[in-house]
Amino acid sequence: MEWRDEGIVLGTRKHGETAAIAEVMTRAHGRHLGLVHGGRSRRQRPVLQPGNKVDLVWRARVDEQLGTFQVEPLELNAAQFMESAVAVYALQTLAAHLRLLPERDPHPALYEALLAILDHLGEPAVAGELFVRFELLLLEELGVGLDLSQCAVTGSRQSLAYVSPKSGRAVSLAAGEQWKDRLLPLPNFLLLRAGEGASASAVNDGFRLTDHFLLRDVYNQRDQAEPESRASLLGALNKTLSSAEN
Amino acid sequence: MSKRIAGPEIEKLIQLLARVPGLGPRSARRAALHLIKKKDQLLVPLSQAMTSAAENVRVCSRCGNVDTTDPCTVCSDPRRDPATVIVVEDVADLWALERAGALNAGYHVLGGTLSPLDGIGPDQLTIRQLVSRVAEGEIKEVVLAVNATVEGQTTAHYLTDQLSGMDVRVTRLAYGVPVGGELDYLDEGTLSAALRARTAF
């Protein structure tokens, strides 16, 4: 068995004295693990840092085996990410979220969303927005997506302002007025084109929205705790966005 | 089934030596044979040293270093600057920095880095103890000497968050070109970090 693909390193685990087991998110083969001979060597360690884009050749005798990766660097972004609290917390949270997916199950849309976030980790306003979009896409890929296209009450596609915490469907400003204390605010940026950026309060609303459904429909269902780095990421985003806004 | 070539005592010695980092079964056999041949000069003193170390080695309750005394030799050294603490991942890093001898400061050993993949969170490290030490008020600078890996730097950012609001200066090691390093052979990440952190000459 052999394939070649590109991927983003999510993490590594030591294996013996010189080898490492690399966990990568690939475009066509989903989240995949493989043994990297010499993965703890001076040459390979910088390449196997989370966030780096790599070219992978996976080989195994039979498909069920862990197999081995031959790894070549494509874009070594990790050094740049290390300097930013937003970037390192985002990387940890993205990796934890992607671990919710079954291994070797392709999710090309999530891979593209991951690439988009990594490209914008230096711009907190855009990174925050893209991160919320990533979590919404993750919910969709896990089969518990939200319907933000039209109002659940009136069917209108205009003035959508809330999301029902029960159904995960959008509610318009007028229809939701009466229950607004019980509804989740729908951040405006989700109604615009991706990559426009968002304010600190909109990012907070976005995080609150996805947090509710991730906890209720994913993490609690699996008896798992949400990654601690997610709260740290929101804190770092708030700090950066607030200082930029003032 | 392979035949046994030595008694159970020697087999056990080989098995245990093979678990030491840097030794495999073959080199463990060589080491065992060497120890047996040099019984009086090596095997007996080594076994005595190991027994003594096993009985006396303890983890310093203040900094997490390993020593035969608690507090450890580093913590009880009055010539060290008590206002500066260098935070390291592991005892091996402490020893490496001590070999460099560049800063006459105290230490704090974290016991690893935040690594969700290995199930290591803040509670598995000595972060709470570090915050308590800083809260005592004597420490004025915390030098984060963690590895230049994403996990190491995530831990550094987490520590900075935990120490924010306290009357302490948090610094970290510089990134860049190692002594003797040739630019042509450096990875792009190190080069770009070195360029971003350039200093006036």
Side-chain angles (χ1 to χ4, degrees), chain A residues 43-215:
Chain A
R43 197 181 75 84
Q44 285 281 21
R45 257 185 303 179
V47 178
L48 292 176
Q49 290 299 309
N52 282 342
K53 193 174 177 184
V54 290
D55 178 67
L56 298 152
V57 177
W58 179 80
R59 289 189 189 92
R61 198 170 49 79
V62 287
D63 199 33
E64 292 75 29
Q65 284 181 331
L66 172 68
T68 57
F69 275 140
Q70 187 185 317
V71 187
E72 292 296 332
L74 290 176
E75 287 172 27
L76 298 178
N77 303 315
Q80 202 179 323
F81 295 152
M82 282 185 224
E83 292 171 26
S84 151
V86 169
V88 291
Y89 291 140
L91 278 176
Q92 278 215 335
T93 315
L94 288 166
H97 282 345
L98 289 169
R99 282 181 198 121
L100 295 167
L101 302 169
E103 271 181 55
R104 305 184 179 193
D105 194 16
H107 292 272
L110 273 175
Y111 181 75
E112 293 299 332
L114 177 65
L115 286 185
I117 297 180
L118 296 183
D119 281 345
H120 291 92
L121 277 180
E123 306 159 65
V126 182
E129 181 218 309
L130 293 176
F131 192 87
V132 173
R133 288 184 188 277
F134 178 89
E135 291 193 327
L136 285 172
L137 182 61
L138 177 74
L139 284 166
E140 204 175 306
E141 298 271 320
L142 291 170
V144 286
L146 313 190
D147 178 6
L148 306 179
S149 60
Q150 61 179 41
C151 175
V153 184
T154 63
S156 164
R157 292 177 185 271
Q158 305 296 317
S159 306
L160 300 175
Y162 305 105
V163 177
S164 161
K166 274 193 180 172
S167 66
R169 295 180 66 189
V171 180
S172 69
L173 185 68
E177 184 60 29
Q178 206 178 334
W179 298 284
K180 67 178 180 187
D181 295 341
R182 281 191 265 167
L183 297 171
L184 294 163
L186 174 64
N188 193 37
F189 67 78
L190 289 177
L191 304 172
L192 304 170
R193 210 159 48 93
E196 296 284 312
S199 65
S201 70
V203 168
N204 275 295
D205 285 345
F207 268 68
R208 206 178 128 204
L209 175 71
T210 48
D211 183 59
H212 173 81
F213 293 101
L214 274 172
L215 265 179

Side-chain angles (χ1 to χ4, degrees), chain A residues 11-13 17 23 46 49-50 76 78-80 82-85 88-89 91-92 99 228, chain B residues 20-23 114 116-118 122 148-150 153-154 157-158 161 175 187-189 196:
Chain A
T12 53
R13 209 178 294 169
E17 279 185 45
E23 185 185 31
Q49 290 299 309
L76 298 178
Q80 202 179 323
M82 282 185 224
E83 292 171 26
S84 151
V88 291
Y89 291 140
L91 278 176
Q92 278 215 335
R99 282 181 198 121
E228 287 182 37
Chain B
V20 174
L23 296 185
L114 297 173
L117 193 56
D118 298 315
T149 58
V150 172
Q153 295 310 306
T154 307
H157 284 291
Y158 183 81
D161 287 345
Y175 300 141
D187 66 280
E188 297 91 327
R196 277 195 300 277

